[in-house]
Amino acid sequence: MATNRGSAAAADTGAKRLGVMLAIVDFPMLSTAFRSVIDQERDMRVVGEVTGRDTVVEQARALNPDVIVLECESVGGLGCGMYDSIEAIRSACPETKIIALDCRCTSEQFSVALQAGASGFLTREAQDNDVVGALRSV
């Protein structure tokens, strides 16, 4: 049976709400802001927040979110470790969509994220409606 994840009416009919896992480790206030935006939507819910990079895949398996908002991770300050993180998540949870979050560690991170298998990309300047739109569109 298919569910209508993109409709606020889905929450009213008892249908499954879009489950979002936040993997924003380096900027806890940003994670708090994302949670606040998502919690205002009747058809979405935060199913978990990752507090350490080493547990992202494990938590994704355990929580089975529909979407993960994944912060780019810097690797030794020399670039972005986003590619490896996205590939690991995609391998462990192929049905889970990933929205990569800009971290400004490289100018090519949008392309890197999509090549690795991300379904979407957000910059840190995203507004509330951008976040909600991205979650619903993936």
Side-chain angles (χ1 to χ4, degrees):
M1 181 171 90
T3 59
N4 183 357
R5 293 181 179 174
S7 169
D12 295 334
T13 63
K16 180 182 175 195
R17 294 190 296 166
L18 184 72
V20 181
M21 183 176 97
L22 300 175
I24 306 171
V25 176
D26 290 339
F27 302 98
M29 285 302 297
L30 192 55
S31 187
T32 299
F34 269 81
R35 178 180 276 284
S36 175
V37 168
I38 293 164
D39 283 348
Q40 291 179 33
E41 300 301 314
R42 293 170 39 186
D43 61 335
M44 297 179 188
R45 66 190 175 102
V46 173
V47 296
E49 292 183 58
V50 176
T51 57
R53 293 192 195 290
D54 55 338
T55 64
V56 173
V57 174
E58 177 184 320
Q59 289 296 313
R61 278 191 192 119
L63 297 171
N64 193 31
D66 297 301
V67 182
I68 297 173
V69 177
L70 178 68
E71 171 190 25
C72 170
E73 63 179 279
S74 296
V75 177
L78 300 174
C80 199
M82 182 185 295
Y83 194 93
D84 292 337
S85 296
I86 292 171
E87 278 194 329
I89 294 166
R90 298 289 300 144
S91 177
C93 306
E95 299 299 315
T96 299
K97 304 300 183 194
I98 300 168
I99 296 178
L101 183 61
D102 159 43
C103 72
R104 301 203 171 96
C105 61
T106 178
S107 60
E108 294 89 25
Q109 61 184 296
F110 173 76
S111 297
V112 168
L114 295 181
Q115 288 174 353
S119 304
F121 188 86
L122 283 169
T123 66
R124 288 189 282 173
E125 289 83 15
Q127 299 293 315
D128 295 6
N129 59 335
D130 298 323
V131 172
V132 170
L135 289 168
R136 286 189 177 131
S137 71
V138 300

